[in-house]
Amino acid sequence: MIIIGEKINGAIPAVKKAIQEKDADFIRDRAIKQAEAGADFIDVCASTAPDVEVETLKWLIDIVQNAVDTPICIDSPDPFFLKEVLPFIKKPGLINSVNLEKIEGSDQDKCDVLFPLVQGTEWEVIALTCDSENGTPRDVETRVEISKKIIEKAATFGITPDKIHIDPLVMALSTDNNSLLNFVESMKQVKAIYPTVKFTSGLSNISFGMPKRKIINQNFMTLAIYEGMDSAIMDPLNKEIMGSIFATEALLARDKHTRKYNAAVRKERI
């Protein structure tokens, strides 16, 4: 299971405060703790005003990559901001994200801007199943079609499916009772065509508007891993969720002699 640590995001009040006060120690500590907890990527998202986003991303990138060796998942809704900050990242990581929505005032979509930068590198991308025609679809068929279009467009840049993490934008269970089932079916249909493509999700989206959200998140994680989910944007400091991951992978015989599970217990990650 690939863990994308979500704790450095300006949408989080404590992180927003640290950005405003230029509290580098706070950001550094969050990066180190996520890396020690087992994050495979550390998401870096400014969530600031557009006129200072690039400057803020560079500041965050500098702190994180000087604190840990864990690759960065660079996160912004603006592909041109991502394009501007990528040269400042020392090692390939994960781009969050691309989709097929047309950029305002342009015939290009985010794939058109970012795929040329990924071409010939070890960078990976998160691809959202949304486009200008359908917005964010709920149905399986549209999600699958958008996934296919993104994967086929990536191929024209020499980007193989194993470098793509499809995010079918799981809906909140409170508004869509079939949310998990549609997520799973979308994943199964796309993987039947492209076996090496990865699937991801923003873990906490499923529980939005629900009481006892941790219970929903934890069980969604277990079921989604069983069905083939490869990665998740999540809190690696949440020992209950991490415990579910290690236990599920051990039970599915993906952890030889339960070594990873046992190591996680010894290191108090779960």
Side-chain angles (χ1 to χ4, degrees):
M1 183 67 182
I2 299 165
I3 298 163
I4 305 164
E6 67 180 6
K7 303 271 296 173
I8 299 178
N9 188 318
I12 300 169
V15 177
K16 179 179 180 179
K17 183 173 183 286
I19 290 171
Q20 290 171 340
E21 298 177 356
K22 287 292 184 284
D23 186 349
D25 288 339
F26 179 90
I27 302 299
R28 186 179 300 108
D29 182 64
R30 285 215 158 189
I32 292 170
K33 285 181 177 176
Q34 289 184 96
E36 289 177 346
D40 298 288
F41 296 93
I42 293 178
D43 191 77
V44 173
C45 182
S47 291
T48 54
D51 59 327
V52 296
E53 182 162 352
V54 169
E55 173 192 335
T56 304
L57 283 172
K58 289 178 182 178
W59 180 74
L60 291 169
I61 289 165
D62 186 57
I63 295 168
V64 171
Q65 65 186 5
N66 284 317
V68 298
D69 290 327
T70 307
I72 286 173
C73 171
I74 189 64
D75 187 347
S76 172
D78 191 315
F80 296 106
F81 291 167
L82 292 172
K83 183 177 180 179
E84 192 167 342
V85 300
L86 277 181
F88 293 89
I89 302 176
K90 295 176 181 177
K91 62 195 295 186
L94 186 58
I95 293 173
N96 188 8
S97 58
V98 300
N99 61 48
L100 294 180
E101 290 181 339
K102 295 296 183 185
I103 299 167
E104 187 175 354
S106 170
D107 289 332
Q108 288 186 312
D109 56 46
K110 292 182 180 180
C111 295
D112 296 321
V113 175
L114 296 172
F115 279 168
L117 306 179
V118 176
Q119 187 174 20
T121 74
E122 292 302 311
W123 278 93
E124 300 180 26
V125 297
I126 292 175
L128 311 181
T129 57
C130 51
D131 62 14
S132 295
E133 182 180 350
N134 299 285
T136 303
R138 291 172 177 252
D139 65 289
V140 171
E141 182 181 3
T142 308
R143 288 171 169 178
V144 172
E145 286 305 309
I146 294 173
S147 298
K148 287 165 63 178
K149 288 177 182 177
I150 291 174
I151 295 168
E152 289 165 5
K153 178 174 277 197
T156 67
F157 292 91
I159 302 167
T160 51
D162 60 295
K163 287 192 167 65
I164 301 171
H165 299 243
I166 298 290
D167 182 349
L169 297 168
V170 62
M171 298 293 172
L173 187 63
S174 57
T175 62
D176 183 356
N177 200 223
N178 291 319
S179 180
L180 169 67
L181 300 178
N182 288 340
F183 175 87
V184 168
E185 185 59 27
S186 301
M187 182 164 58
K188 285 183 174 180
Q189 289 191 26
V190 175
K191 286 197 172 202
I193 306 168
Y194 307 100
T196 61
V197 75
K198 298 180 177 74
F199 265 74
T200 192
S201 73
L203 178 61
S204 60
N205 293 349
I206 187 75
S207 65
F208 185 79
M210 297 283 288
K212 302 282 187 180
R213 294 184 66 182
K214 288 184 179 180
I215 297 172
I216 301 292
N217 295 345
Q218 193 167 345
N219 285 280
F220 169 77
M221 174 69 79
T222 298
L223 291 166
I225 292 173
Y226 174 75
E227 295 289 358
M229 186 173 73
D230 305 276
S231 67
I233 302 169
M234 54 168 284
D235 178 5
L237 304 182
N238 184 324
K239 291 186 177 183
E240 292 179 354
I241 292 291
M242 292 294 283
S244 293
I245 293 171
F246 283 107
T248 301
E249 294 201 319
L251 289 165
L252 293 174
R254 299 175 186 170
D255 179 6
K256 191 173 182 180
H257 304 305
T258 68
R259 288 170 182 160
K260 293 179 181 179
Y261 179 88
N262 293 335
V265 172
R266 286 196 304 273
K267 294 176 182 179
E268 297 185 347
R269 290 179 176 173
I270 63 176

